[in-house]
Each structure stands twice: as C-alpha cells, then as structure tokens.
Amino acid sequence: MNFLNKVGLGSKSHPNAPLMGKKKKEKEEASSLRNNTYLRVLIIIAFLVILCFSIPQPYFKQTLNYSIGTPWKNEDLTAPFTFAIQKSDKEIKQEKKAAQQNTIPIYVRQNNATIKTKTRLDSVLSNIQPVVSTYIQWKSDKTDTSKKAKKDSLNFIQQKNAANVSFSDQTWVALLEHFRTSFGQRHSANTGQQFMNSEFVETLRSIVDNVLNDGIINKPKNKLKHDKITVRNLQQHTEQTYGLANIRDVQQAGEYARYKLSQHFNDGVIKAGLQLFNQIIQPNLQYAPEQTKAKIQQAISNISKTKGAITKGQVIIRKGDLITPKKYQELKSLAEARSQNASNTQQWLQYGGEAIVIFSLIVIFFFYLYLYRRQIFMDNSRLLLVLLTLSVFIVASSLLFQLTNISLYIVPVAIAPILLTIIFDSRVGILSAVTLALLIGFINGSNFEFAAATIVGCCLGLFSVRDIKERSQIFFTTPGIVFLSYAVVVVGFNLSSFDGLHPSLNYMVYVHLLFNAVLVFLTYPIILLVEKSFDITTDLTLIELSDTNLPLLKNLMNKAPGTFHHSLQVANLAEAAAGNIQANGLLCRVASLYHDIGKMENPAYFSENQLGRNEHDKLKPRMSALVIKAHVSNGVKMANEYNLPEIITDFIKTHHGTSVIKYFYEKAKEFTDAEKDEIQEENYRYDGPLPFSKEMGIVMLADGVEAASRAMKDPNYQKLENLIDKLVEQRVNEGQLSRTPLTFQDLSIIKETFLNILVGIYHSRVEYPEDEEDKKRKEEAKKKTAEKENGEQPVPQKDHASEAQTSSDSYYNS
C-alpha cells in the first residue's frame, strides 16, 4: 500500500470514477439547469420584457424623422387643431438662467444684532468712565502730597486694566487728555455724568445708530452680483428693496465712523473712537441663501413652456420649405400635441408597433444563435450572459435618454460586443453590436446617426480584440479605435447637414465620446467578474496561464525537466496546427503546457526524465501500466489544487483518450499461458474520456507525434512522414478522434504542419571529425542506453513503417 500511495495509486476516489453522493447530485443539478428548456424560455421572456419597458416615457410620442436644415419632403402641412408652440430646450434654459441672474438676493434684518451692538457700546463706555474719573483725579492731586498722588496713580492703573479696552498708551493719553481738557483740570463729583453726556460719547452713539438703521450686510459689497438687495424684517413681516448705495458693509461702516469723528476731534481721539467702533459693531443684515434659492425656484416655476399658438387650419410648412429651428419647434409641438390628444387605442397601437419593431430586430439575433451558435443558445448560463450584457446597455441608454442635457454617446455600448468577442468570437460580437445599435437607436427616438456611429465604432473596436495577445490592447488600442471611429462618423453626419460646420464644433459631444472610450477600460475587470460568475475561460486568462514563470510550470521544469521540454515542443506543434485549421491556437498551446503536469509525482518512471536507469525494470507490467496511467489522475488533482480552468483540466483527462498502453500490454502477454488468461486489455487502457473538441484532438496527436519522433533514430523527412501518417491513422482507426469535429482535410493539414516543424527540428547536421576512440565510446554508450531505456528490446527495422510502430510503442511506455 505504501508503494501505491507513493505512485499516486492509493485508496482515493478516481477523478474519472462515477460521482457519488452530494458531489454527483450537485453536478447533475448544475447540468440540468444549464440545459433546462423551461428556464431558457423564462430567460428569453424576461429579456423581451426588459426591452418593452426600456421604451422611454412618454411611451406614446410622434417620431420625428426630419431634422433642421433639411427640406420638408411631404405635402403641405396644416394644423389639424389649435395647439400651443412649445419653447425649445435652449430657450427654456436661457430663461431659467435669466431668472436666476435677475432674482435679487434676500437679506434678513437681525434685530437682535442691533440690540447687542448698542449693549456692547454701553458696556465699553461704562468701563471707560471710571478710568476717566481716576485719571482726572490723579492729575489734579499731583500738586498735593506725593503719598496721595501715588495712591491715585495706582487706582488709575487698576481701573485702566479693568476696562478691557485694547488702547495703546498713546491713544489712552490722547483720549484722557481730551476729557480732562473738556471737563476742567480738577476732579468733581459729576465727572462720570459729564463723561456719559460728552460730545465724544454722543457722537459715537449717533454713528452706531445711523449705520445700524441703514443696515450693515455680512458680505463685502464688491462681491455682490446685483445692485440691489431685498431686506426682510421677520418681526414686522415687511419686505423692502434697497439699492447698494443706501447700505453699507463692515468696511464702509468703519469709513463712515472715521468721517464723522474727524469732523469733531483730533487724530488721537479719532483713533480711539474707531477702535471702540470696530470692537462693538456687527452686521445686522444677514444673507438668507435658502430663501433666495426658494425665490429663484419660484421664478423658474413661473416660466411658461409655450410661446404663442397655431390655430386650426393654419399652414405650418409647405412642401420643399427648409426646416428652420422655428419650423422644427412648431413641428415638434404638433407631434407632442398629437401624443397628448391621442386616445387610449391610438396609444396602445403605437406601443404595439414599437414592440413589433423591437421584437423583429432581436429575433434575428436569436435565429443566429440558434442556427450558428447552438452551443450558446442551448446553454442557459451562456445565453443568460449574452442577454444580460445586452440588457444592461439598453436599459442604461434608455434611462439616459430621459436626461435632455446628456448625449447618448456617453454610454459605452462598445463594451458589450468587445466583451462577447473576447468570451465567444467576433461573429457573435458583430451581430450583438448591430443589434444593440439598432435597438438603442430605435428606442431613443429612431436616432439613425447614433445607430450608424455605434455600428462602426463597436465593430472596429471588437476587431482590435479579435486576436487578443496582451492587456495593452484593451487599455490603449481599443479605446483609441472606438473614439476615432465614433468621432469620424459624428463629424461626417454634421458636415452632411445644411447647417454648416457649427454643429461639429459642439465640443461636449466629443467630451462624451472621449468619456465613452475611457470607459472601455472597464472591459478588463468585467471579464474577470464574468469568468468567475459564469465559469468561462477567455483568451486573457489563457495568456496569463502561458507564462512559464508561474509556480506550477516552474515546478514541472525543476522536477521533470524532460517532461517540461516535451510539453514545450507539443505546444509549438499544437499551436501551429490549430492556427492552420482555424482552431484556437492559444488554447492548444496553454493546454499542451499543462497536459503532463501529473508526471511530477513520479518523474523517474517516464523515459524523457530518465538518465540511464529504468524504474520499470523492478515492476511487473500491470504495475507499470498503473503508474503510467496515474499521471492523468495526478494531473487532474494538481489542476484542481492550482485552480486551473476546467477546460484545461479536460485536456489533461483526454490527451490519451482511451488508448491502450501497448508496450506493457504486449509485455504482459509474454508471460505463461496461465497468466495470459488473466490479462485483460481494459487493465492497460487509459480511463478517458475521448477528446471532444478540435483542440483536444490536436493536442492528442501532437503529444503522440512529438514523443514518437523523439524516440526515432536518425530521423529524416521520409521517416517522419511515415511516422506521422502511421500515428494519425492509428488514432482514427481506434476511434480516439470520433467525438471531435476534425475532418480528413483538417487531419491532412495537421499532418503537413507537424511534418514541416519536425523536419525543421531534426534537420541534418554537419558531423565534425572526431577521434576513433571517442567515436567508439559514444557508440557503446548509445547502445547501452537503447537497451535500458523503458525496458525496450532491440527491434529489427525492416522499413519505415515498422520503425514508426516501434517509436509509437516507446511513446506509450513513457
């Protein structure tokens, strides 16, 4: 048992054994959901419902199939009834802007601010009054004893410090000397009363009253956009409009105070008065942004959406007349009036007509999937992915159509066909691009310009990722192609109109196109999300897996270098052959790199990794066959551990199909007759399954051909050709390729590709002269290696065909 565990044959569930229990149930349930017919019908119905609800509001509208600058091709049009002429979006936008600019800002009078300002003024003056009194008393007592003067001096300093007025010493002296001069040199009992009734205090009170009555706004006047303001007094419920000349801001209030003070006092007193004024003053007119905004909204709501009317029977436009902006607006107004006046029957008929057109457009896409991409249509998971991708962009464009200020070009529709091209193929991408363009163009007002630009931009964009080799294609090449394609078509439509070059100068359209192209970057993260959600492997993942510096391939190179080199050669053969028959060459290359990773478990048991000693010499043929077969199950186990995609795991399972390990089977037959009766061919056959795609068949053939050609002695063109023909014929006769869609023409091309590459690898080389002794030593070493390698016995080579058979058997031993 230890040995069986060592070679990977212990008691564990075989990867290809029937599934049991919960795992089997889950796999069966997943398979049934993917192929359930009722679920498929439900997905299609849900998609059609989404399309119906994507028709923008209002549902029932008159389709405008004419544009400004083109002649009216129908007969003379007269008004069937009286209707109002609707203003254009541009006119309404201009009127809204004018209403916003003409609305006078609202300020609210803060009565509390007036009271607080006067209260602060009284408080500051009350603090200054004791300072004035003590100063005059100190100065008058200086002629008395020094002891009393010193006491008065200290009292004065205490009062000045307690006044809490930030005057400089020079300002204090100027102000106090002014009062001392005004009140007399001697202190008296009524000095305090004299101060409160002084000219300075009265002037200061008058200034404060005047500026507060006129009003002080809380914003600099030079930043106001209007020459008037509206002042509301909420207590008195009044509203009055003032010119800016009649009110002041804080700076102008200070300038007014300076002017008034300068009429009565000297500079020192003026400075003191200004400092007091600036300390106590505050604005009493507060800007009210919410009330101003409400007034603007009211003005906007009062804007009329119509401008006059056309009476019944009046000629709107005659045949051949040029459709001017004015005529276009009249025609558009008639269409809207008809929509509003339409009966329920007419509305539902129009809605039904639009639904018929939408279903007609989408049915082509469904027929294509059913007839030419049946594997997508019959797989509910893949069908859901396709329809979900289309739905997202249809709904997004429909919602955006409701916003009149945003162009439809901002929707990155190109992501959908690019995504489907990378996941499936370019034909699915092209048809999805055409379908999306027509659907979105029709739903959004029969916009032919948008449909044409989208078809061109999306198709050229998806062509750039048809054979994606690196991420830079998505991040640089594709966005640039999408932008240029859209821009060229838009410019072409603008130039073809009769309105000159002016429309092409609408830079916002190109800003939207640029934003559209930038959003194509989102394709890469979306692909990663789709791969995880829908279990799909794209070329981007295969490109990442082809990096030989990945840990799994690094381990293969270190543990089984011969197998690693063999895998590289198989990858070259398979990729070239796949490219020549229009199969997926990248998938073949990546699958070839990983198809033999199971040999890392026991590399010494495979000839490409042996250095003389053959481990099979110690085993019986039955055990050797088990070890050889185990590299498939070991490979599947490693693939699951390293989270390789399921499609790569399928290559590991199928690269030998159900073929027989002939060498050990024939060797087992050489035992006695009693033992021979117990030999069963199934014990020496790989578990399969058979390859079921072109790529799997190519890898199987490339694997066999490369190994057999490696074991061939002195290969040349004729030998390699016979070897390839023999191996391919064996696989066909054994039925190993019966489940693949490979044709005989494909096989012929594959054989020719293999032959050209192998001839290039094993071309004749010039032999340099060497010593007889060295030549003899090399021949002996070569002979010993041939005898030991894989336990193989020398086989007489009668012709090229027999040599091909011998090489093939050597391969199956490896």
Side-chain angles (χ1 to χ4, degrees):
M1 288 298 295
N2 290 334
F3 173 76
L4 293 178
N5 289 329
K6 179 180 178 181
V7 298
L9 300 173
S11 57
K12 57 184 178 181
S13 60
H14 196 281
N16 297 318
L19 295 172
M20 301 298 293
K22 183 178 179 181
K23 187 175 181 181
K24 178 181 179 180
K25 184 178 179 180
E26 290 176 353
K27 189 166 185 177
E28 289 177 350
E29 289 178 353
S31 178
S32 63
L33 288 176
R34 293 173 75 98
N35 301 296
N36 187 283
T37 304
Y38 298 105
L39 182 57
R40 186 178 309 114
V41 172
L42 182 62
I43 292 172
I44 294 174
I45 292 176
F47 175 68
L48 295 178
V49 170
I50 290 174
L51 289 181
C52 290
F53 281 96
S54 296
I55 301 175
Q57 294 284 355
Y59 290 125
F60 314 107
K61 57 187 183 301
Q62 178 73 22
T63 300
L64 304 180
N65 53 1
Y66 43 80
S67 58
I68 297 174
T70 61
W72 179 255
K73 298 179 181 179
N74 301 324
E75 298 299 325
D76 295 353
L77 178 63
T78 58
F81 48 82
T82 300
F83 62 93
I85 301 174
Q86 302 290 328
K87 293 179 182 178
S88 66
D89 294 339
K90 184 178 180 181
E91 289 174 326
I92 293 177
K93 184 178 179 180
Q94 290 175 346
E95 291 187 15
K96 287 181 178 180
K97 186 177 180 180
Q100 186 174 6
Q101 293 176 345
N102 297 331
T103 300
I104 299 174
I106 296 175
Y107 285 77
V108 176
R109 185 176 292 276
Q110 304 292 326
N111 295 314
N112 290 336
T114 303
I115 296 173
K116 288 179 181 180
T117 301
K118 293 182 177 181
T119 301
R120 280 199 300 270
L121 176 61
D122 292 340
S123 176
V124 173
L125 292 175
S126 297
N127 292 338
I128 295 176
Q129 184 267 329
V131 179
V132 174
S133 296
T134 55
Y135 177 79
I136 295 174
Q137 185 174 2
W138 170 47
K139 288 296 183 178
S140 65
D141 291 342
K142 264 190 174 184
T143 58
D144 298 336
T145 62
S146 59
K147 185 175 181 180
K148 186 176 181 181
K150 184 177 182 181
K151 182 179 179 181
D152 292 340
S153 174
L154 293 175
N155 190 22
F156 163 71
I157 293 174
Q158 289 177 354
Q159 292 295 338
K160 188 177 73 168
N161 292 336
N164 193 26
V165 179
S166 57
F167 286 164
S168 65
D169 292 341
Q170 186 178 1
T171 303
W172 270 117
V173 170
L175 182 63
L176 294 173
E177 284 297 325
H178 166 75
F179 287 120
R180 181 166 172 257
T181 303
S182 300
F183 301 160
Q185 301 295 323
R186 303 293 297 177
H187 178 268
S188 62
N190 63 348
T191 300
Q193 185 66 31
Q194 287 179 324
F195 169 77
M196 298 304 292
N197 295 327
S198 65
E199 183 184 8
F200 176 80
V201 172
E202 292 299 328
T203 301
L204 201 56
R205 290 181 188 276
S206 175
I207 293 172
V208 171
D209 287 340
N210 289 338
V211 295
L212 289 177
N213 289 335
D214 292 341
I216 303 175
I217 60 176
N218 64 334
K219 284 189 173 184
K221 288 175 66 174
N222 57 5
K223 292 186 178 181
L224 298 181
K225 298 180 180 179
H226 298 80
D227 58 357
K228 295 180 180 180
I229 65 169
T230 298
V231 178
R232 288 180 177 177
N233 191 325
L234 301 181
Q235 290 182 352
Q236 299 177 5
H237 302 288
T238 60
E239 180 177 295
Q240 189 172 358
T241 301
Y242 291 91
L244 290 185
N246 299 323
I247 60 173
R248 300 179 180 88
D249 57 17
V250 175
Q251 182 181 355
Q252 288 180 333
E255 292 173 354
Y256 174 77
R258 178 186 291 275
Y259 169 73
K260 286 296 184 180
L261 289 170
S262 65
Q263 291 180 342
H264 304 282
F265 309 105
N266 58 36
D267 291 342
V269 178
I270 293 173
K271 186 174 182 181
L274 283 176
Q275 289 185 8
L276 285 175
F277 180 83
N278 292 331
Q279 185 175 343
I280 59 96
I281 200 67
Q282 75 175 71
N284 65 339
L285 298 181
Q286 187 77 24
Y287 175 64
E290 295 299 328
Q291 296 184 36
T292 304
K293 185 177 180 181
K295 190 174 181 180
I296 292 174
Q297 292 300 327
Q298 183 180 2
I300 291 176
S301 63
N302 292 332
I303 295 175
S304 174
K305 294 185 178 180
T306 62
K307 55 175 183 179
I310 293 192
T311 58
K312 182 179 179 180
Q314 180 179 343
V315 177
I316 300 174
I317 190 171
R318 299 186 184 278
K319 184 176 181 179
D321 287 351
L322 201 64
I323 301 177
T324 62
K326 179 181 178 182
K327 292 295 183 182
Y328 180 85
Q329 199 60 34
E330 292 176 356
L331 294 170
K332 185 178 179 181
S333 300
L334 175 60
E336 293 181 0
R338 279 176 171 171
S339 176
Q340 294 173 359
N341 297 332
S343 64
N344 290 335
T345 302
Q346 291 174 324
Q347 292 177 356
W348 282 109
L349 285 175
Q350 182 175 1
Y351 183 74
E354 292 180 342
I356 290 173
V357 174
I358 290 174
F359 293 161
S360 301
L361 293 175
I362 199 62
V363 75
I364 301 174
F365 187 71
F366 282 132
F367 268 118
Y368 174 80
L369 292 181
Y370 181 78
L371 295 175
Y372 299 103
R373 292 296 181 269
R374 186 73 62 88
Q375 70 277 14
I376 298 176
F377 188 85
M378 303 305 292
D379 188 329
N380 292 337
S381 176
R382 296 188 175 189
L383 182 63
L384 176 63
L385 171 60
V386 173
L387 299 186
L388 184 62
T389 303
L390 299 182
S391 300
V392 168
F393 293 95
I394 290 173
V395 171
S397 62
S398 178
L399 293 176
L400 194 66
F401 184 63
Q402 309 299 320
L403 305 176
T404 56
N405 295 329
I406 300 180
S407 170
L408 271 180
Y409 290 112
I410 202 172
V411 180
V413 180
I415 291 180
I418 291 173
L419 186 67
L420 296 179
T421 297
I422 294 175
I423 294 175
F424 301 112
D425 58 58
S426 58
R427 295 185 182 182
V428 174
I430 290 174
L431 199 63
S432 66
V434 174
T435 304
L436 267 179
L438 294 176
L439 282 174
I440 296 175
F442 174 74
I443 290 175
N444 296 282
S446 299
N447 193 332
F448 176 70
E449 176 185 332
F450 174 82
T454 301
I455 290 175
V456 175
C458 292
C459 289
L460 292 180
L462 68 87
F463 287 151
S464 67
V465 296
R466 181 173 178 269
D467 294 314
I468 189 166
K469 299 298 182 184
E470 52 190 16
R471 300 181 188 89
S472 62
Q473 290 177 247
I474 293 180
F475 289 107
F476 298 103
T477 307
T478 303
I481 291 176
V482 170
F483 173 75
L484 290 177
S485 303
Y486 267 105
V488 167
V489 177
V490 170
V491 169
F493 271 95
N494 288 328
L495 292 177
S496 66
S497 67
F498 290 94
D499 202 21
L501 291 174
H502 177 68
S504 64
L505 299 178
N506 186 0
Y507 71 96
M508 283 306 300
V509 173
Y510 302 100
V511 171
H512 292 159
L513 289 177
L514 182 61
F515 184 73
N516 180 334
V518 171
L519 287 181
V520 175
F521 293 164
L522 296 176
T523 304
Y524 190 76
I526 291 174
I527 287 174
L528 299 180
L529 179 62
V530 168
E531 286 183 324
K532 297 296 182 183
S533 303
F534 292 88
D535 192 22
I536 291 175
T537 303
T538 66
D539 285 355
L540 290 174
T541 299
L542 294 177
I543 291 172
E544 294 173 351
L545 291 175
S546 65
D547 186 359
T548 55
N549 290 316
L550 292 176
L552 184 56
L553 294 180
K554 276 281 189 180
N555 290 340
L556 179 63
M557 181 174 61
N558 294 329
K559 294 181 180 180
T563 301
F564 178 76
H565 182 70
H566 159 72
S567 299
L568 290 177
Q569 294 293 78
V570 173
N572 293 332
L573 291 172
E575 183 178 26
N580 288 338
I581 65 168
Q582 306 303 314
N584 191 334
L586 179 59
L587 177 59
C588 286
R589 179 170 190 82
V590 175
S592 299
L593 293 176
Y594 291 91
H595 79 287
D596 270 345
I597 56 175
K599 292 183 179 180
M600 281 191 288
E601 290 284 340
N602 304 287
Y605 286 89
F606 300 92
S607 61
E608 66 266 24
N609 301 312
Q610 293 172 355
L611 298 175
R613 189 180 67 174
N614 192 340
E615 297 291 338
H616 291 284
D617 293 341
K618 300 180 293 183
L619 303 179
K620 291 183 178 181
R622 172 77 176 108
M623 187 57 68
S624 293
L626 289 175
V627 174
I628 295 299
K629 287 173 59 177
H631 87 275
V632 175
S633 59
N634 290 336
V636 173
K637 180 183 70 174
M638 288 184 182
N640 294 331
E641 290 175 357
Y642 282 85
N643 296 320
L644 292 183
E646 184 178 354
I647 190 171
I648 302 299
T649 306
D650 289 339
F651 276 88
I652 298 175
K653 295 177 182 178
T654 61
H655 76 278
H656 283 302
T658 58
S659 58
V660 177
I661 307 174
K662 291 184 179 180
Y663 176 78
F664 292 113
Y665 178 61
E666 297 297 333
K667 188 175 181 180
K669 288 182 178 180
E670 296 176 1
F671 288 175
T672 60
D673 293 339
E675 293 175 335
K676 189 182 302 183
D677 294 338
E678 299 177 0
I679 297 174
Q680 297 181 6
E681 187 180 71
E682 292 301 318
N683 294 332
Y684 295 86
R685 185 181 295 278
Y686 285 99
D687 296 326
L690 294 175
F692 50 86
S693 69
K694 280 187 177 183
E695 290 78 11
M696 291 180 185
I698 292 171
V699 171
M700 169 185 274
L701 296 176
D703 186 33
V705 167
E706 200 286 328
S709 64
R710 184 191 297 270
M712 178 178 286
K713 299 176 182 178
D714 301 326
N716 56 38
Y717 185 93
Q718 189 62 44
K719 288 182 179 181
L720 290 172
E721 184 179 26
N722 291 337
L723 172 66
I724 294 170
D725 290 339
K726 185 72 174 180
L727 284 176
V728 174
E729 184 180 353
Q730 284 179 357
R731 298 299 176 273
V732 173
N733 293 337
E734 292 172 1
Q736 299 298 320
L737 303 176
S738 59
R739 293 183 58 191
T740 67
L742 290 171
T743 63
F744 284 107
Q745 182 179 3
D746 292 336
L747 293 177
S748 176
I749 296 173
I750 291 170
K751 290 191 293 184
E752 183 179 356
T753 303
F754 287 169
L755 179 61
N756 291 335
I757 294 176
L758 291 177
V759 168
I761 295 174
Y762 299 111
H763 64 280
S764 301
R765 295 179 175 86
V766 177
E767 296 186 2
Y768 293 94
E770 56 183 349
D771 297 337
E772 291 296 330
E773 186 177 348
D774 291 341
K775 187 182 293 185
K776 185 176 181 180
R777 185 166 57 251
K778 288 183 179 181
E779 290 177 354
E780 291 177 356
K782 188 175 181 181
K783 183 178 180 181
K784 290 180 180 180
T785 301
E787 292 175 354
K788 292 181 179 181
E789 186 175 11
N790 301 327
E792 203 177 309
Q793 300 297 325
V795 179
Q797 299 181 14
K798 296 181 180 180
D799 53 27
H800 298 316
S802 63
E803 181 172 352
Q805 178 64 47
T806 302
S807 301
S808 174
D809 291 344
S810 176
Y811 157 66
Y812 281 114
N813 292 337
S814 61

